[in-house]
Amino acid sequence: MAAVEIPQQQIRQAAQAAEPRPTVIVDELHIVYRVHGAGTGKGSASSALNRIVNRKIGPTMREIHAVKGVSFEAAEGDSIGVVGRNGSGKSTLLAAIAGLLPPETGKVYTHGQPTLLGVNAALLRDLTGERNIQLGCLAMGMSKEQALAARDGIVEFSGLKEDFISLPMRTYSSGMSARLRFSIAAAKSHDVLLIDEALATGDVEFQRRSEKRIKELRKDAGTVFLVSHSHGVIRETCNRSIWMHDGVIKMDGATDEVLDAYEGSLK
């Protein structure tokens, strides 16, 4: 599902009011997962297919209401941390903004094409780091010449040694893969960049470089969403935070206020 473009009227109204241009509008968003085959596991393949085609809930299907009526707006220059316990709907929300999950009801509007960078972002394990850099840059809309020009900067930012760049990605540790994924994404400015725990496996030096790059992306009038269990990273890079709980927004506001409240709930 492609994200829906923000209506030009709303963009013009924001410009006339001298306010930052909206980049993401989430309006009464509901996301429901349907898990087929959960439960007893009985039933024929044809009956299961029939239920899928007709969207009927059979005895072996479960519904998980992951996001429940979420609404908010984000603007140019915002860096928004998204916090909450595991299973609270954080990653589902980012995937919906990226256009990867269809709403059950509600709408997601975006200005430009959102880019989702997660711990499981698609890099081809059987290809070298070098080839993945090329393909990643091309996938972001760079020309072949731009991709070649960006190559050295990506390698330097990632902190990977040249010896590893020529090896297949399957030989990389999880930390090395995460660093390369972020380095590729950070080589280009984005209208909306969604980062889902992609910095969690990097070392301290890499996290500092990443925090600096996120701030630069914000200055380029981009909008950054950051899901992270590292509250230090969120405090350092995000001017605003959203606390998700059981699929709803429990709090949305200044980062320090939201994180203080969330951390207090964990005690």
Side-chain angles (χ1 to χ4, degrees):
M1 180 198 75
V4 180
E5 186 74 12
I6 293 176
Q8 290 298 312
Q9 182 181 0
Q10 289 180 263
I11 294 175
R12 287 194 295 270
Q13 287 174 346
Q16 291 170 358
E19 297 175 353
R21 179 172 56 180
T23 53
V24 176
I25 299 173
V26 178
D27 183 20
E28 283 295 317
L29 178 67
H30 290 261
I31 299 291
V32 177
Y33 292 108
R34 290 178 174 83
V35 183
H36 296 269
T40 63
K42 298 179 180 179
S44 67
S46 60
S47 63
L49 178 61
N50 183 61
R51 288 195 300 272
I52 294 171
V53 171
N54 295 292
R55 298 176 66 87
K56 292 180 179 178
I57 299 175
T60 61
M61 182 197 289
R62 289 179 56 208
E63 282 194 348
I64 300 172
H65 201 164
V67 174
K68 307 170 183 175
V70 166
S71 297
F72 66 88
E73 292 187 16
E76 287 181 336
D78 270 342
S79 183
I80 302 174
V82 185
V83 300
R85 297 176 184 270
N86 290 338
S88 61
K90 305 184 301 295
S91 296
T92 299
L93 177 62
L94 262 61
I97 294 172
L100 301 178
L101 290 175
E104 184 74 9
T105 60
K107 292 286 186 180
V108 176
Y109 303 93
T110 65
H111 176 68
Q113 178 60 48
T115 300
L116 176 62
L117 176 66
V119 289
N120 295 317
L123 290 181
L124 301 178
R125 288 172 47 80
D126 289 333
L127 298 184
T128 64
E130 180 90 45
R131 186 61 176 148
N132 273 286
I133 290 173
Q134 295 172 3
L135 293 176
C137 289
L138 294 174
M140 292 190 300
M142 292 185 182
S143 66
K144 185 176 180 180
E145 292 73 22
Q146 289 172 327
L148 290 172
R151 183 264 187 201
D152 289 348
I154 291 171
V155 175
E156 181 179 359
F157 190 97
S158 72
L160 298 178
K161 296 180 179 179
E162 283 286 346
D163 292 345
F164 282 105
I165 295 300
S166 61
L167 294 177
M169 288 287 299
R170 64 174 180 271
T171 65
Y172 289 21
S173 68
S174 59
M176 292 165 64
S177 297
R179 282 153 52 191
L180 185 58
R181 277 192 292 268
F182 182 83
S183 301
I184 292 170
K188 177 180 180 292
S189 294
H190 302 269
D191 295 316
V192 180
L193 178 61
L194 307 143
I195 305 172
D196 188 2
E197 289 291 356
L199 309 183
T201 54
D203 56 27
V204 174
E205 181 182 352
F206 180 74
Q207 287 186 3
R208 288 174 180 165
R209 292 200 300 274
S210 301
E211 291 167 12
K212 181 180 178 182
R213 180 58 182 145
I214 289 172
K215 291 177 181 178
E216 291 172 351
L217 291 170
R218 286 176 58 194
K219 290 179 182 178
D220 291 338
T223 303
V224 177
F225 287 83
L226 175 62
V227 169
S228 177
H229 288 291
S230 174
H231 293 176
V233 172
I234 290 180
R235 287 184 188 273
E236 179 66 25
T237 59
C238 299
N239 62 303
R240 171 184 168 191
S241 287
I242 291 173
W243 173 7
M244 293 288 294
H245 178 74
D246 194 25
V248 301
I249 293 179
K250 191 173 181 68
M251 189 174 180
D252 179 358
T255 288
D256 286 338
E257 295 177 7
V258 173
L259 287 185
D260 286 348
Y262 174 59
E263 290 167 355
S265 74
L266 301 177
K267 296 179 180 178

